[in-house]
Amino acid sequence: MGVWIDSDLGVDDLFAILMVNDRHPIDGISLVFGCAEIDQVRHNAGGAALAFGLKAPLYVGAARGVLGHLETATRILGAAGMPTRGATLPWAAPADGNAVGALADWLAQRDGARILALGPLTNLAALALAHPHLLPRIAEVVWMGGARGAGNHTKAAEFNAFADPEALAILLARAVPLTMIDLDICRGVAVTEADVAALRAAPGPNAGLLADLLGGYLDIALTRGRASMALYDPVAAAAFLDPQLFVFEPLGITVDLGQSDARGQTRVDPEAKLPNIRVASQTDAEAVRQRLFETLGAA
């Protein structure tokens, strides 16, 4: 059975998609704002499909959050949402098609559906509001987002949660089965300059392109005086593909919907009567890295 990916198509999204594509048929990829504005995300998706021969249909989703706010990571990732040391994705016709409609059609034809979500959860929230009868068909949404500790986009919040906290709140309120791969677990899985060099020397036909993209991603950390850069979306892909590499805890999580500095913060609720989410608390970091670089080295 195929799976579905929801993505804002930045560098680490691309790596995660390649990991899944290597192991499972992908029935569809829905696109959402986040790493860049949605028009750029559409171009990134088209270029990725062309460069790597991705066969999954691409569908365009939300351009803004549930309440109409637009938040992107372009101040960190650049206008394309894909920092690089030179090589870029080829130009291709941008993705088209309606994400929520396509996702609804897909869910209507299967039970036990699995979704990997790599950006703000806006598309899935729109699905929940428009097609609530389809939610029982979802067995699991593995989401890269949230933080039990410090944030990365603000002091309190992780980017995907901050960009549309209302979307997360909608899914929690409707008991969608969420597995959260948060900043705390992702910060334990990192890449260094040695990884860029090893990838550049790999035999895959796209090794040079992927090494430049990985190097641009690493430069985010290097320009801040850090020698390594945490992986994010590939860690979620590893949890999606190989959950045995992780330890998960059922927790009660809330998300701050206010307009204070805490907006988008995900907190463990000590008074929760029942858990509403599953959170990864431990992983085999080297095994996750190995799976990523096996994929990238051959892509």
Side-chain angles (χ1 to χ4, degrees):
M1 179 183 290
V3 299
W4 193 277
I5 297 179
D6 190 75
S7 170
D8 55 349
L9 229 303
V11 172
D12 57 332
D13 298 72
L14 172 61
F15 297 163
I17 290 167
L18 293 176
M19 290 172 70
V20 177
N21 190 62
D22 205 34
R23 297 265 297 274
H24 285 289
I26 302 173
D27 290 340
I29 300 174
S30 50
L31 304 174
V32 66
F33 75 97
C35 286
E37 294 191 27
I38 193 66
D39 282 348
Q40 181 63 51
V41 171
R42 293 172 61 214
H43 281 283
N44 291 353
L50 179 61
F52 298 98
L54 300 176
K55 303 302 183 186
L58 304 168
Y59 301 99
V60 181
R64 294 176 178 272
V66 167
L67 297 184
H69 178 69
L70 172 61
E71 187 74 23
T72 74
T74 53
R75 66 181 175 86
I76 303 298
L77 301 176
M82 283 201 171
T84 179
R85 290 181 177 176
T88 59
L89 293 174
W91 187 92
D96 206 351
N98 180 275
V100 175
L103 183 51
D105 290 344
W106 179 74
L107 282 174
Q109 300 173 44
R110 58 195 24 81
D111 288 309
R114 299 184 71 231
I115 299 170
L116 176 61
L118 303 173
L121 291 168
T122 316
N123 288 335
L124 299 183
L127 174 82
L129 294 174
H131 305 280
H133 62 288
L134 295 175
L135 297 182
R137 294 181 175 270
I138 300 174
E140 182 182 33
V141 176
V142 175
W143 175 53
M144 191 281 114
R148 286 163 293 161
N152 64 348
H153 196 65
T154 69
K155 290 182 179 179
E158 179 274 333
F159 173 77
N160 289 334
F162 180 84
D164 198 354
E166 284 76 19
L168 173 57
I170 287 168
L171 297 188
L172 292 174
R174 284 153 181 77
V176 173
L178 279 170
T179 295
M180 190 167 88
I181 311 301
D182 73 350
L183 289 184
D184 301 82
I185 198 75
C186 294
R187 284 170 170 145
V189 186
V191 293
T192 68
E193 195 65 56
D195 295 312
V196 178
L199 180 55
R200 195 174 298 281
N206 288 297
L209 167 60
L210 289 168
D212 271 9
L213 292 172
L214 182 65
Y217 181 73
L218 174 60
D219 286 344
I220 297 170
L222 296 181
T223 57
R224 289 161 173 76
R226 305 193 306 269
S228 64
M229 179 67 180
L231 286 170
Y232 298 109
D233 293 339
V235 182
F240 189 75
L241 296 167
D242 296 300
Q244 72 277 7
L245 297 178
F246 293 76
V247 174
F248 299 95
E249 294 180 57
L251 295 173
I253 291 286
T254 63
V255 58
D256 193 301
L257 302 180
Q259 299 301 320
S260 72
D261 291 343
R263 179 169 173 80
Q265 184 177 36
T266 49
R267 307 185 187 100
V268 177
D269 181 2
E271 298 182 0
K273 295 180 180 179
L274 293 172
N276 62 355
I277 202 166
R278 194 173 67 141
V279 180
S281 58
Q282 298 179 46
T283 190
D284 183 337
E286 194 49 44
V288 172
R289 284 170 36 82
Q290 180 179 350
R291 280 157 173 74
L292 169 64
F293 286 108
E294 284 175 353
T295 297
L296 298 186

